[in-house]
Amino acid sequence: MNKLVLCGFFLSFCAIFESYALKASDCEVCFAVVEKFSAGLTSNEKKDPKVIEDKFRTYCKTAKNKEHRFCYYLGGLEESATGILSEMAKPLSWSTPVDKVCEKLKKKDNQICDLRFEKSIDVKTVDLKKLKVRDLKKILSDWDETCEDCIEKGDFIKRIEVLKPKYVREDL
């Protein structure tokens, strides 16, 4: 009878523990960046934590928005205040799954899983006049464009309308 009770307790404990496993939706930026980054590494590069750290610093130089913020939290940027890059590099060198890597990073810095990707704006269908200036700036930033002389909302809208044919394809 005691074995049956212990077995039931163990199974319920496992079910509770499983429900706390980190999901991609709980830590979307970490999952996306670590998957994208590790996919770009060769099998030889994946074996050495120091090489992984160097490659991640190189990756971070071109990162934008939330990926850039993720790099900052890990210590992949020169201006990063902290450095927990080894907490990602070592598990990757051991072929640890992405969910476990992100789980470990979350334990070190909870902010990592607070990062969320912004919803993308469909420039083809959206009414630019209804967007906020920060959204208009984001569109230009996503296109790697600037608007040096833009002061008012209308200036940003004009700039986007001028650049629209270059970045937005009209499907027939």
Side-chain angles (χ1 to χ4, degrees):
M1 188 75 164
N2 284 340
K3 289 180 182 179
L4 186 59
V5 171
L6 284 174
C7 186
F9 175 74
F10 180 73
L11 289 175
S12 63
F13 176 76
C14 289
I16 290 169
F17 183 75
E18 183 64 30
S19 68
Y20 289 115
L22 195 62
K23 298 178 186 86
S25 60
D26 297 335
C27 202
E28 64 184 51
V29 175
C30 180
F31 273 70
V33 171
V34 174
E35 282 176 358
K36 181 179 173 183
F37 170 70
S38 65
L41 295 173
T42 65
S43 58
N44 285 338
E45 291 170 340
K46 286 182 182 178
K47 294 176 184 173
D48 186 359
K50 291 294 178 199
V51 172
I52 293 172
E53 288 180 26
D54 292 340
K55 289 285 186 179
F56 190 73
R57 285 187 187 97
T58 304
Y59 170 86
C60 288
K61 288 179 183 175
T62 59
K64 289 183 169 185
N65 301 325
K66 299 299 178 179
E67 291 181 1
H68 186 267
R69 177 59 57 186
F70 179 78
C71 287
Y72 177 80
Y73 289 157
L74 254 60
L77 302 172
E78 289 180 23
E79 66 268 14
S80 294
T82 61
I84 57 169
L85 201 47
S86 62
E87 299 294 329
M88 179 197 67
K90 286 178 186 174
L92 280 180
S93 70
W94 304 326
S95 301
T96 306
V98 173
D99 61 332
K100 297 300 179 192
V101 173
C102 290
E103 216 171 277
K104 184 173 182 139
L105 292 172
K106 182 181 179 182
K107 287 178 185 172
K108 291 290 180 182
D109 188 350
N110 215 14
Q111 297 178 90
I112 286 171
C113 288
D114 291 340
L115 291 171
R116 299 275 181 255
F117 286 115
E118 292 140 11
K119 304 293 180 236
S120 61
I121 301 168
D122 185 7
V123 182
K124 195 181 342 179
T125 59
V126 75
D127 183 2
L128 295 174
K129 294 174 187 157
K130 292 184 179 180
L131 293 179
K132 295 182 178 187
V133 173
R134 76 164 179 239
D135 294 329
L136 298 171
K137 287 181 178 179
K138 184 184 177 311
I139 291 169
L140 290 171
S141 173
D142 290 347
W143 290 346
D144 287 328
E145 296 286 348
T146 58
C147 191
E148 301 295 328
D149 300 328
C150 293
I151 298 171
E152 296 180 359
K153 184 176 181 175
D155 299 332
F156 287 99
I157 292 171
K158 286 177 191 168
R159 179 76 172 140
I160 290 170
E161 290 296 346
V162 167
L163 294 168
K164 212 175 189 180
K166 181 178 176 185
Y167 294 99
V168 180
R169 294 187 176 214
E170 297 294 330
D171 296 328
L172 298 176

